[in-house]
Amino acid sequence: MEHKGFTLWFTGLSGAGKTTLAVQVRDILKESGYKVELLDGDVVRTNLSKGLGFSKEDRDTNIKRIGFVCHLLSRNNVIAIASAISPYRDVRDGIREQIGDFVEVYAKCPLEVLVERDVKGLYKKALAGEIQNFTGVSDPYEEPLNAEVVVETDKETEAESLAKIFVKLKALGYLASTGGDGYTKEEEKAVEDRLRALGYL
Ligand SMILES: Nc1ncnc2c1ncn2[C@@H]1O[C@H](COP(=O)(O)OP(=O)(O)O)[C@@H](O)[C@H]1O
Ligand SMILES: [Mg+2]
């Protein structure tokens, strides 16, 4: 199916829910027939950005690379999803300008909850001083000021956060039916049916 490309950009601290939500958005869109590609920070660091570390310079390089690939995909009508901490506001905003069709999702969660969750066991190590330059502990994180979507993952279920994202994408017209050569009513319905089946709507 033909559809407009855009970039869905997740930002937030480690363990806030970026990958969890990005993977589900990708799977739902894919199943519904959209062309979609996910660039996850942890995966990108094993290939596209292999060898880069966690200095400010290397972090910026990593995020700009992800942004550039999202730009290439989006302009070719692929939905690009990025899920990386992307701690610096000016870098995110630069990518927003480069891409234009850019939807920022802030996965927001208080540090206490993340330390409690400690999905990868990294906070324990960072707090013990075993890992340097850990975002939120010993390295900065600049919250988005105007994210299109803010998911509060300490208060919402995954389903609720996911529904918020889809509602916004629809409101912005990225998943809207045109009845013409773009999205058809059937395609739009396929997304809704899938969300409903999963209990998200
Ligand atoms: N509303 C929510 N959205 C996303 N993840 C959530 C939510 N509520 C709880 N979680 C949990 O938080 C964790 C997020 O981990 P992950 O997605 O790997 O974070 P990140 O990619 O941001 O480092 C998962 O264990 C997930 O089940
Ligand atoms: Mg992740």
Side-chain angles (χ1 to χ4, degrees), residues 13-21 117 119 153 156-158 161:
L13 295 173
S14 177
K18 302 179 297 296
T19 300
T20 302
L21 296 170
R117 250 181 218 170
V119 187
T153 69
E156 301 163 10
T157 62
E158 290 175 21
S161 299

